[in-house]
Amino acid sequence: PKSQDTGEEKIPKFDVLTIRQWFNMMDADGNGHLDKQEWLEFLRHNPRLKTLILRGHAEPAQKPKSQDTGEAFRQGQEDAREIRRLMKIWRELDVDNSGTLEWEEFVEFFRQAGNLLEYRENSSNPKQRMAELVGNLNQNQAGVTEQDMDELERLAAKHLSGQRRRSLEMDACAKVPDVIPERMPRRASAGFVPQAKA
């Protein structure tokens, strides 16, 4: 993540492609929106993103006040406090009160928190386009065309490197496992064969 110096503390910045990949990973059932269970479960297993979301929210984390209780009890209190804060953030993010978080609501949180790396020319930005393609891949696997896959592969090869590119390729292979032999033989030959979703 890129950071912007605010004079006091650095605010991590993430491009829309990274945020889209987080959203897709949270969206376990691939229906295009997050329910509360997907939200909490993903954040429980991804403490760095949970910390980022909690810090991006205006309310500071509080320490337990009592020092004479046991460590397990204090940890339980802190965990409960985090869940309450995450649910409060959830309710604030769910602008349309649908009970789910849509992509637009999710990315708007990062924009408001100052964590979204935005470009002047969003419409022609390759990472913006890759985020759109990855979003389509998550929400409508059957509707993904050969041209979409060609474009994603071409953009990733030109604009991403190393682990970031491999991560995107693996995400694409996991969503559309039929493309491995034809599109990404390097992944298949390296032993990466994702399991098809049941």
Side-chain angles (χ1 to χ4, degrees):
K2 298 188 179 183
S3 296
Q4 174 183 355
D5 190 354
T6 62
E8 294 177 3
E9 153 181 2
K10 290 188 180 209
I11 299 173
K13 299 276 189 176
F14 303 94
D15 61 48
V16 70
L17 178 59
T18 299
I19 295 171
R20 174 48 96 168
Q21 287 181 286
W22 290 337
F23 184 86
N24 288 358
M25 287 188 287
M26 283 185 191
D27 185 15
D29 58 12
N31 64 3
H33 55 262
L34 308 177
D35 60 39
K36 290 176 188 175
Q37 184 175 347
E38 288 172 323
W39 165 262
L40 290 173
E41 187 68 18
F42 186 84
L43 293 177
R44 186 169 70 88
H45 293 291
N46 294 277
R48 290 175 65 191
L49 184 55
K50 177 175 70 173
T51 299
L52 176 71
I53 287 173
L54 288 170
R55 285 186 181 164
H57 192 256
E59 186 178 310
Q62 298 175 0
K63 300 284 182 205
K65 293 181 173 138
S66 174
Q67 295 298 324
D68 57 353
T69 58
E71 183 63 31
F73 182 71
R74 281 196 303 273
Q75 185 60 49
Q77 285 180 316
E78 184 61 28
D79 291 348
R81 194 176 348 269
E82 276 187 355
I83 290 172
R84 284 192 302 273
R85 288 188 60 224
L86 287 170
M87 291 314 300
K88 179 181 178 186
I89 294 168
W90 167 274
R91 287 187 297 277
E92 291 173 6
L93 289 173
D94 185 18
V95 176
D96 64 1
N97 295 315
S98 64
T100 60
L101 293 182
E102 281 66 43
W103 163 245
E104 295 79 15
E105 293 169 324
F106 187 71
V107 76
E108 186 59 26
F109 169 78
F110 289 94
R111 181 177 286 116
Q112 295 296 324
N115 297 113
L116 179 62
L117 179 61
E118 297 191 77
Y119 302 94
R120 288 185 197 128
E121 290 291 323
N122 243 358
S123 61
S124 63
N125 184 283
K127 289 187 179 176
Q128 177 71 32
R129 179 62 184 145
M130 282 187 277
E132 291 169 10
L133 291 166
V134 169
N136 291 339
L137 195 66
N138 186 57
Q139 294 175 30
N140 184 18
Q141 296 163 9
V144 175
T145 66
E146 280 293 315
Q147 291 92 349
D148 293 337
M149 292 303 292
D150 287 342
E151 184 180 6
L152 181 60
E153 196 171 357
R154 187 175 25 64
L155 287 169
K158 186 173 180 179
H159 299 285
L160 301 177
S161 61
Q163 181 58 35
R164 183 78 192 274
R165 181 176 170 189
R166 284 187 296 279
S167 171
L168 183 65
E169 289 173 348
M170 290 171 61
D171 289 348
C173 287
K175 294 291 180 183
V176 187
D178 298 340
V179 303
I180 293 171
E182 304 114 35
R183 306 204 62 79
M184 298 182 190
R186 188 170 41 122
R187 291 283 156 250
S189 66
F192 174 75
V193 181
Q195 301 298 313
K197 288 189 175 187

